[in-house]
Amino acid sequence: MAASVEIDERNGAPAGTLVHNITNSNMGSVDDDSLDPLSFPITPGDSSFEKWQQFHVTNMGGSSKVYNLKVWRTTALGANASHVTNARETSYGGAPTYATPTDSVSSVATQAMPTTEPTGPNLGIGGSLSGELTATGSSDYLVHQIQTTGSATAGASCTMHYQYDEVA
Amino acid sequence: MPSHPETHLCGRCRAEFQDEEEYFAHECPKTGLSPTDPAHFGRRARRASQAALERGAAAQEN
């Protein structure tokens, strides 16, 4: 058996609500998991609410460690939009402390989301890219946001990739 | 100190829990399983998990 891993998302004022095993990562103008982007679109020129998400190992399944976390997006965004994140392979800023997600320009998510698989880990565990989970627990927060200009066009449907390695 | 108590929510059945242990212990009505059971995450996750195990086994043989 392999480890069981879910993606969780925290919303609201700290400590907030931790939604386990989210079904999608739709970005929009409300701080909710699995939001309906038709009901909560991003107005051109505005930003989406930040997403604060974590890898969460719910069962080690006989594995000894989960590590090497990688996050990236495939499929292009709509025109005049950018996707930013705290995930990065160099100059990683450590584990961010949860704060109420904002739809102002994020001060945490400041680098472009990779659009191909990163070479090495770009999300940490315990504040370090070389961190490991050896029991049930969670990664650092992945913070990401869509930012647009006034010329942005209607949104795109993209795929987020959340990848990890485990040692049996 | 958090200004509000933490709440846990199952993303599948939307049930609320006071802590992670309660979440782990619940039998999700959407899947009939607890979140510690790999099958709770659905067929796609099971296929990905199986494929990963097969890759690992192949890597050990080589």
Side-chain angles (χ1 to χ4, degrees), chain A residues 64-119:
Chain A
S64 59
K65 68 176 180 179
V66 169
Y67 67 116
N68 201 24
L69 307 184
K70 297 181 181 181
V71 181
W72 72 99
R73 187 199 79 249
T74 52
T75 316
L77 297 172
N80 298 298
S82 58
H83 189 189
V84 291
T85 180
N86 67 321
R88 60 202 62 190
E89 293 181 81
T90 56
S91 303
Y92 182 65
T97 301
Y98 178 72
T100 307
T102 180
D103 61 352
S104 297
V105 171
S106 176
S107 61
V108 182
T110 56
Q111 187 165 296
M113 177 68 77
T115 54
T116 57
E117 182 184 341
T119 304

Side-chain angles (χ1 to χ4, degrees), chain A residues 125-150:
Chain A
I125 295 169
S128 169
L129 293 177
S130 58
E132 300 173 349
L133 284 168
T134 56
T136 57
S138 297
S139 70
D140 297 346
Y141 282 104
L142 163 69
V143 184
H144 58 127
Q145 182 183 55
I146 299 291
Q147 297 172 353
T148 71
T149 73

